[in-house]
Amino acid sequence: MTRLRTWLRAFGQFWWDFFVGDTPELFVATVALIAVTAVLVHAHAARSVATVLLPLLVIGALLWSVRKSWPKR
Amino acid sequence: MIATAVSSGVVVLVGAVFLACAVEMVEALTIVVAVGHTRGWRWALEGTLVALLALGALVGVFGPALIHVPLSWLRLGVGGVLLIFGLQWLRKAVLRASGLKAKHDEDAIYASLVTELTSTPSVAKRDQVAFMMAFKGVFLEGLEVVVTVLTLGTSAHQLFLASAVATGTVALVAIIGVLVAKQLSSVPENAMKTTVGVMLISYGTFWVGEGLGIHWPGSDGFLALLVALYGVGTFLVVLVTRRAAALVVAP
């Protein structure tokens, strides 16, 4: 049982590191931008807004993550 | 019009799989060559072969299984994974292009691996250290390729094409590696990584949108526009980041 738990924990840790790793902000940003787009698409009037907004949010997520590594002044 | 739309989707898919595969295999080749030169080619090739079989099994098992997932959910999930992956690739590439992160130096990695391997004695008949290092190197680098092939291939209904391009690229890098008999340090890795990152987030955006019910103007042809938009966007992020780094160095 303990061995199984250890194996499951290691398995989960491996995939967490693989998909999230040291950039959790990119994971959070991706989930957030999908959620925002889903809300806009659900409100049919805002569907065209979502078409334009989604790529801009992706660039914003990249800038946010890169900005975290900018040297402090 | 239809031919142009179809070809732009296929071109982005083939380009993304080829470049992702080439970059990861160059990194894997560095590890395999280091193991082969220091501990013997038998263990290096055995570890490589077992890793390739494991990766092939992953594609064989999960590829057909993913086809049974409802298309909108598949595209949403695949798009999310591609966005995370692509943004991770682009983030590293932007930081390297801006001088905030050291460039991937295959020569330095090779030297460090050789030092590590020569300092570990081999007492057993079977060289487990060499086998495991070759296996882990190929499996971990290859896993990113497998995820890219599975996600792009299944959502675009082009799993066979994506697998064929990946297999061909692996063979090509392996042949070049054998011919030059050393790690491939002169490959413009950062430029390739940037291109892959742009292609992955383009496909990721496209599939997320399709999964949520967005009908992109021009259908698949919109992918080309996304690639261009993200190319310009990434260039601007690099410029802004370089400027921020320069301001700190010379206030």
Side-chain angles (χ1 to χ4, degrees), chain B residues 19-102:
Chain B
L19 288 175
C21 207
V23 168
E24 295 301 336
M25 284 306 110
V26 164
E27 292 178 12
L29 184 70
T30 301
I31 298 168
V32 174
V33 170
V35 174
H37 275 306
T38 50
R39 308 290 284 239
W41 286 100
R42 183 186 165 180
W43 310 114
L45 294 177
E46 207 172 276
T48 303
L49 187 68
V50 174
L52 288 176
L53 286 175
L55 292 169
L58 280 177
V59 176
V61 170
F62 288 105
L66 280 174
I67 291 168
H68 297 293
V69 178
L71 196 59
S72 58
W73 284 103
L74 178 69
R75 287 182 167 171
L76 188 58
V78 159
V81 169
L82 288 175
L83 276 178
I84 293 170
F85 252 47
L87 285 169
Q88 285 175 346
W89 279 57
L90 269 185
R91 179 183 172 276
K92 277 186 199 160
V94 167
L95 292 176
R96 284 183 176 133
S98 313
L100 292 176
K101 188 176 170 75

Side-chain angles (χ1 to χ4, degrees), chain A residues 6-59:
Chain A
T6 310
W7 187 87
L8 283 175
R9 185 175 292 177
F11 186 76
Q13 184 70 46
F14 173 81
W15 287 108
W16 175 265
D17 288 343
F18 191 71
F19 283 112
V20 179
D22 54 357
T23 52
E25 73 276 7
L26 289 178
F27 182 79
V28 172
T30 302
V31 172
L33 68 88
I34 288 174
V36 169
T37 310
V39 170
L40 289 174
V41 170
H42 193 67
H44 289 275
R47 194 167 275 206
S48 53
V49 177
T51 309
V52 178
L53 194 65
L54 181 55
L56 295 178
L57 286 174
V58 173
I59 292 286

Side-chain angles (χ1 to χ4, degrees), chain B residues 69-146:
Chain B
V69 178
L71 196 59
S72 58
W73 284 103
L74 178 69
R75 287 182 167 171
L76 188 58
V78 159
V81 169
L82 288 175
L83 276 178
I84 293 170
F85 252 47
L87 285 169
Q88 285 175 346
W89 279 57
L90 269 185
R91 179 183 172 276
K92 277 186 199 160
V94 167
L95 292 176
R96 284 183 176 133
S98 313
L100 292 176
K101 188 176 170 75
K103 290 216 167 143
H104 205 89
D105 186 345
E106 297 299 334
D107 288 332
I109 292 168
Y110 180 83
S112 146
L113 280 170
V114 166
T115 309
E116 187 186 338
L117 284 163
T118 44
S119 64
T120 316
S122 171
V123 285
K125 217 174 179 181
R126 183 176 174 75
D127 195 343
Q128 288 288 358
V129 174
F131 174 84
M132 281 312 293
M133 191 164 269
F135 174 80
K136 272 174 71 178
V138 175
F139 186 78
L140 291 178
E141 302 296 350
L143 197 55
E144 287 199 40
V145 174
V146 165

Side-chain angles (χ1 to χ4, degrees), chain B residues 13-31 89 104 106 137-138 141-142 144-146 148-149 162-177 183-196 199:
Chain B
L13 178 130
V14 169
V17 171
F18 173 77
L19 288 175
C21 207
V23 168
E24 295 301 336
M25 284 306 110
V26 164
E27 292 178 12
L29 184 70
T30 301
I31 298 168
W89 279 57
H104 205 89
E106 297 299 334
V138 175
E141 302 296 350
E144 287 199 40
V145 174
V146 165
T148 306
V149 167
S163 304
V165 171
T167 309
T169 312
V170 168
L172 184 70
V173 174
I175 289 168
I176 294 172
Q183 71 281 8
L184 304 175
S185 53
S186 54
V187 170
E189 243 183 273
N190 210 46
M192 287 166 78
K193 278 194 169 168
T194 309
T195 311
V196 174
M199 287 175 164

Side-chain angles (χ1 to χ4, degrees), chain B residues 199-223:
Chain B
M199 287 175 164
L200 292 185
I201 62 170
S202 301
Y203 248 118
T205 305
F206 189 80
W207 291 137
V208 163
E210 292 258 310
L212 290 173
I214 291 177
H215 300 292
W216 299 105
S219 192
D220 283 9
F222 197 75
L223 264 172

